[in-house]
Amino acid sequence: MKWTLSASQDFAPLKKSCKQQHPDTELSEIPAELLKCHGREKESEKEKQQIIGGCNQTCSAVTSAFPLPPMLCSLDQSCPALFSSSNIWIAGCSRFCLCWLLSFTCSLGMKLFPEQWSAEGVRQSDFPEQEMPATVMPGSPVQLNSVTLESEHPQSVSQPQPAFQIEPVTPDPAPSQSRETWGGKYEFLLSCIGYCVGLGNVWRFPYLCYRNGGGVFLIPYFIMLLFTGLPLFLLELSLGQYGAAGPITVWKCCPLLKGIGVGMLLVSSLVSLYYNVIIAWTFYYLGMSFQSPLPWSCNAPQNAPLCQNASGNASRFSASEAFWNEQVLGVTHSSGLHDPGPVRWPLAICLLVAWIVIFLCMLKGIRSSGKVVYFTATFPYLVLTVLIIRGATLEGSIEGVRFYLSSDWSRLQSAQVWNDAASQIFYSLGIGFGGLLSMASYNKFDNNVIRDTLVIAIGNCCTSFFAGFAIFSILGHMAWRKRVPVGEVADSGPGLAFVAYPEALALLPASAFWSVLFFLMMFTLGVDTLFGNMEGITTAVLDEFPALREWRRKTLFLGALCFIFYLLGLLLITEGGIYWFTLIDAYSTSFGLIIITLFMCIGIAFFYGVNQFCRDIVDMICRCPPWCSKLVLYFKACWVFITPCLLLFILIYIFLEMYNTSLHYGAYAYPRWGKALGVCMGTVTCIQIPLWALVAICRESGTLTDRFRKAIHPLNSWRTAPTHAEVIDVPYTINLVDSDFASPPQGSSEA
């Protein structure tokens, strides 16, 4: 006789009986969503039998010697498996507990994987040091979580019963959707390259080169790449791939440092907030580029007075500057942070279009964005090549290239040069934002992260150097046309992308074509980087709340997220929005980001264990070439000593520079309250580390030392990726004792 649980039965009397026998046991209701159909369909649909659990199992250990419980069981062909997502319902009688334990052997007690199930039942290899029992007798004492469960109806059984069987069946799917993976390794490589190769490669690196000694700047640049960029890049990729989790959930490896993931989430949110404003500006310029003549060129009728005055040195602004400040930003109508003014509605429409594009590209997760990057990650290289070829044919281009590569060896003695090199490596590779960690979490477990690190990081830095030739060859022609030194037309940041370079494009034949090409490149550069930032945000949230992975919920979540960012971004496209843009840009990725990566490096090296982390990397690279093993030793030295020291140097320099210099946008100097607001912005991102560390310590028990040790110890759910199998994960463990597998002497009876 076999029993099964009927979904329509009343459990209250049984719970009351169990509570009387086990007063220290916490009982809870069985969630209705955990009920899954089981067994044959009954004649009456109202009495359809249901079962909770990960395996379809039968139990032949229970005989007719036990009376049928009136409220708990009904006659059928199967045995129930009971558990709750928050508490395990402990039955009060041995006949029911024994069936429960046997049916859960595959999913809880033994942690068997689906491929280990067989039609003959549990294999002999699954029970080391003891034989598989031939018979299982009811009434044996059973321990569940170190609590002995006694039988309510002790009986004597004179005949052995057949061994229990575990029938093979595919586990029921989880309520939430499973994690996605990249469609191919090239999607991951292109996504990372697109994420790293951003606007900073075009508008910041060339400027830093000529400001810090030209070609000499490459020396500290590549030194910082070797000792800061590559180690941190590999650390973030390896952590994400091994843990197969986002920036927050991945810190199961060291719960004390969960605040690092929360800080990454906040940094990515701040960057995404203002980064799409750049894409909105790009959309605006792209739309204006389909006019002839270009509205920022001297050939445009409205710019004729400006260009005539410029020839007589009577005008403060060029035509491109006037277009940027008056028609695009409207900053001439604002007096500072305290005076944002009305929203610029043409920019508001462009910003809305930009967020709709991001929403549509990310709607299906990496499956959709992974296909988009085939275009967005490769198109900028095509445009840069075309611009270099075109620039090389222009008059004065060689002067621009010479200015770009001029060498001033005395600049190596300046601390600012080394800080600029480190910061450019840091921000260009996108370390500490959570985007790299999130994208790597969708990799296959055996992906070669060391190879990917070298390809992506070195490719990114070479792209920066390559882009400098395209920029300065055309700026050299611009200086030749205006008969001024190249240094007077060179600029950094938005000033280069939206003032100097558009003006240079306006001087070329077929200027509208080159302008469309350039701003398409700017759009693809910005979108790829924003993909990475948004992926870091969505992955962090979806891993913490897996129920949101269901397609409709994910669509609503992503739509709400983009809409909230759009509303917050409206402040940045007001007439005084450029002042807020500069403030967020200056402080959101400043000292807070350096502190986050510093603790990430220290936490992995000293809390999680650098030796363990190196073994994890080798485990992932199944066929590890000899050169990979040697590189692991190099990275190990960087994580323990070199990289933390360089990060401390950058952090100290940032604090000194922040104290000694004031923030400006053009002639406008930011007030103290504005600077204090920026410092608070950076503080909010890094203060998450001590706050969440305090939470982790308070959750543990024991002395302060014991709590700290427990808080840095990986959780049991960490390191699930190496199994390559679907594990039915529940938060409880059943402790099986020898008596569960040994048959008592015939004729004996146990309570």
Side-chain angles (χ1 to χ4, degrees):
M1 182 182 302
K2 302 172 184 177
W3 303 334
T4 188
L5 174 66
S6 176
S8 62
Q9 291 165 346
D10 183 15
F11 304 112
L14 175 65
K15 290 174 60 180
K16 182 177 180 180
S17 174
C18 291
K19 192 65 178 177
Q20 292 174 353
Q21 295 187 32
H22 304 281
D24 297 331
T25 302
E26 183 179 357
L27 302 176
S28 64
E29 296 289 349
I30 301 177
E33 62 269 20
L34 293 178
L35 294 175
K36 298 180 176 63
C37 294
H38 176 71
R40 298 176 303 179
E41 294 185 0
K42 301 184 72 71
E43 295 180 358
S44 175
E45 293 184 359
K46 294 182 180 180
E47 294 183 0
K48 186 176 182 180
Q49 302 298 323
Q50 297 193 353
I51 179 175
I52 306 171
C55 309
N56 183 10
Q57 306 157 345
T58 61
C59 175
S60 58
V62 183
T63 67
S64 58
F66 291 92
L68 182 66
M71 295 170 295
L72 184 62
C73 298
S74 62
L75 294 174
D76 200 352
Q77 301 298 322
S78 59
C79 181
L82 293 178
F83 76 100
S84 168
S85 60
S86 59
N87 297 281
I88 296 182
W89 185 0
I90 303 179
C93 52
S94 63
R95 62 179 182 275
F96 192 77
C97 290
L98 184 58
C99 288
W100 185 79
L101 287 169
L102 295 178
S103 64
F104 250 76
T105 299
C106 76
S107 62
L108 291 179
M110 309 308 165
K111 280 288 186 180
L112 297 183
F113 305 124
E115 65 267 25
Q116 293 177 291
W117 304 346
S118 63
E120 294 76 24
V122 183
R123 301 177 304 190
Q124 175 72 25
S125 59
D126 295 327
F127 294 89
E129 302 180 0
Q130 55 181 311
E131 295 183 356
M132 186 69 191
T135 60
V136 179
M137 301 297 295
S140 301
V142 178
Q143 283 196 358
L144 179 63
N145 292 337
S146 303
V147 177
T148 301
L149 304 180
E150 298 182 356
S151 174
E152 182 182 359
H153 301 281
Q155 299 287 343
S156 298
V157 181
S158 58
Q159 296 180 355
Q161 302 300 320
F164 69 93
Q165 301 290 323
I166 298 179
E167 297 179 356
V169 68
T170 303
D172 294 325
S176 60
Q177 299 293 320
S178 60
R179 235 172 175 276
E180 298 174 294
T181 56
W182 294 104
K185 63 180 180 180
Y186 295 111
E187 290 185 10
F188 169 69
L189 282 174
L190 289 176
S191 296
C192 286
I193 290 175
Y195 171 65
C196 297
V197 179
L199 298 173
N201 298 71
V202 174
W203 73 25
R204 193 167 187 263
F205 177 82
Y207 175 81
L208 291 179
C209 264
Y210 95 79
R211 192 183 77 173
N212 292 300
V216 174
F217 180 71
L218 297 177
I219 296 176
Y221 181 75
F222 281 104
I223 289 177
M224 289 296 178
L225 172 65
L226 289 175
F227 296 109
T228 303
L230 289 178
L232 291 175
F233 198 92
L234 177 62
L235 187 149
E236 199 163 338
L237 284 189
S238 302
L239 189 62
Q241 181 172 309
Y242 191 82
I248 299 178
T249 310
V250 78
W251 290 104
K252 289 179 179 180
C253 66
C254 183
L256 186 75
L257 299 179
K258 186 178 181 179
I260 292 177
V262 180
M264 287 179 174
L265 178 64
L266 294 177
V267 170
S268 292
S269 300
L270 289 172
V271 171
S272 300
L273 178 64
Y274 78 83
Y275 210 87
N276 216 16
V277 173
I278 302 174
I279 299 178
W281 294 338
T282 303
F283 268 135
Y284 187 84
Y285 270 85
L286 184 61
M288 292 295 179
S289 297
F290 289 96
Q291 302 180 24
S292 183
L294 295 174
W296 56 82
S297 68
C298 286
N299 295 328
Q302 67 271 20
N303 295 330
L306 283 174
C307 294
Q308 292 174 0
N309 292 335
S311 61
N313 296 326
S315 177
R316 290 171 47 196
F317 301 111
S318 64
S320 61
E321 287 177 301
F323 180 82
W324 168 247
N325 289 321
E326 296 177 9
Q327 188 167 341
V328 179
L329 299 180
V331 69
T332 54
H333 305 292
S334 175
S335 56
L337 280 176
H338 62 282
D339 182 24
V343 172
R344 307 283 293 179
W345 290 110
L347 286 181
I349 296 175
C350 292
L351 183 62
L352 180 61
V353 172
W355 277 116
I356 291 176
V357 170
I358 296 297
F359 170 76
L360 294 177
C361 290
M362 297 194 65
L363 188 57
K364 293 185 178 180
I366 60 173
R367 291 292 182 181
S368 56
S369 62
K371 300 298 185 293
V372 174
V373 294
Y374 279 106
F375 169 74
T376 57
T378 56
F379 182 73
Y381 289 95
L382 174 64
V383 176
L384 286 174
T385 303
V386 172
L387 290 176
I388 286 179
I389 295 173
R390 177 55 181 158
T393 63
L394 298 174
E395 288 287 341
S397 60
I398 191 64
E399 293 300 323
V401 173
R402 185 179 292 114
F403 183 84
Y404 173 48
L405 297 178
S406 60
S407 298
D408 183 5
W409 295 93
S410 62
R411 295 290 296 166
L412 292 177
Q413 302 175 5
S414 172
Q416 181 183 358
V417 175
W418 294 88
N419 178 72
D420 285 347
S423 61
Q424 176 62 18
I425 285 290
F426 201 84
Y427 303 135
S428 177
L429 293 178
I431 300 168
F433 294 87
L436 291 173
L437 197 152
S438 297
M439 289 188 288
S441 69
Y442 298 108
N443 271 338
K444 294 181 179 179
F445 179 75
D446 57 354
N447 180 62
N448 192 331
V449 287
I450 297 182
R451 177 201 59 204
D452 291 349
T453 296
L454 297 177
V455 171
I456 298 169
I458 295 177
N460 170 72
C461 296
C462 291
T463 301
S464 299
F465 184 66
F466 182 68
F469 290 96
I471 299 299
F472 274 91
S473 60
I474 294 183
L475 291 183
H477 174 71
M478 179 181 176
W480 177 81
R481 290 284 298 266
K482 300 179 73 172
R483 303 187 187 282
V484 296
V486 179
E488 293 187 12
V489 298
D491 202 352
S492 177
L496 174 64
F498 299 105
V499 177
Y501 213 82
E503 185 175 353
L505 294 173
L507 300 176
L508 300 178
S511 57
F513 169 77
W514 297 108
S515 182
V516 169
L517 207 60
F518 174 76
F519 286 109
L520 271 177
M521 180 190 72
M522 295 290 292
F523 166 71
T524 55
L525 288 173
V527 163
D528 279 340
T529 302
L530 195 56
F531 278 165
N533 288 327
M534 291 295 292
E535 195 63 59
I537 298 171
T538 55
T539 302
V541 176
L542 295 183
D543 282 350
E544 288 294 300
F545 305 98
L548 292 176
R549 290 200 186 111
E550 194 270 328
W551 192 81
R552 291 183 179 179
R553 295 177 181 177
K554 183 178 179 180
T555 302
L556 292 175
F557 165 71
L558 187 59
L561 185 66
C562 292
F563 184 67
I564 291 172
F565 277 147
Y566 170 72
L567 294 180
L568 295 175
L570 291 177
L571 174 64
L572 307 182
I573 55 174
T574 58
E575 292 178 344
I578 188 63
Y579 299 122
W580 290 96
F581 176 92
T582 305
L583 182 70
I584 298 175
D585 182 33
Y587 288 100
S588 63
T589 57
S590 182
F591 63 90
L593 188 61
I594 303 294
I595 292 175
I596 287 174
T597 51
L598 177 62
F599 274 90
M600 179 176 68
C601 188
I602 293 175
I604 293 298
F606 298 101
F607 292 168
Y608 181 72
V610 68
N611 292 328
Q612 178 62 53
F613 191 66
C614 291
R615 284 194 296 269
D616 294 345
I617 295 176
V618 174
D619 288 343
M620 288 189 292
I621 309 174
C622 299
R623 299 178 179 87
C624 184
W627 61 270
C628 281
S629 301
K630 295 178 181 179
L631 278 180
V632 168
L633 297 177
Y634 155 72
F635 287 122
K636 181 178 178 180
C638 291
W639 291 325
V640 171
F641 178 72
I642 301 175
T643 303
C645 290
L646 290 176
L647 290 176
L648 280 174
F649 160 74
I650 300 171
L651 187 62
I652 293 172
Y653 189 88
I654 288 176
F655 282 130
L656 292 177
E657 188 177 31
M658 187 187 305
Y659 179 78
N660 295 325
T661 59
S662 58
L663 183 63
H664 287 81
Y665 176 77
Y668 174 75
Y670 281 74
R672 284 189 176 182
W673 67 268
K675 195 173 179 179
L677 185 61
V679 172
C680 292
M681 194 184 307
T683 304
V684 167
T685 60
C686 61
I687 203 174
Q688 303 299 321
I689 300 174
L691 288 180
W692 285 93
L694 184 62
V695 171
I697 290 176
C698 291
R699 285 177 176 174
E700 303 296 342
S701 59
T703 64
L704 185 60
T705 303
D706 292 338
R707 292 185 178 192
F708 180 80
R709 289 176 180 172
K710 293 177 182 178
I712 64 175
H713 191 273
L715 298 179
N716 292 334
S717 53
W718 172 246
R719 298 181 187 168
T720 57
T723 60
H724 297 286
E726 183 179 359
V727 180
I728 304 174
D729 189 18
V730 294
Y732 295 98
T733 302
I734 293 180
N735 301 319
L736 299 177
V737 297
D738 294 341
S739 59
D740 296 324
F741 304 102
S743 300
Q746 294 186 5
S748 65
S749 133
E750 298 182 45

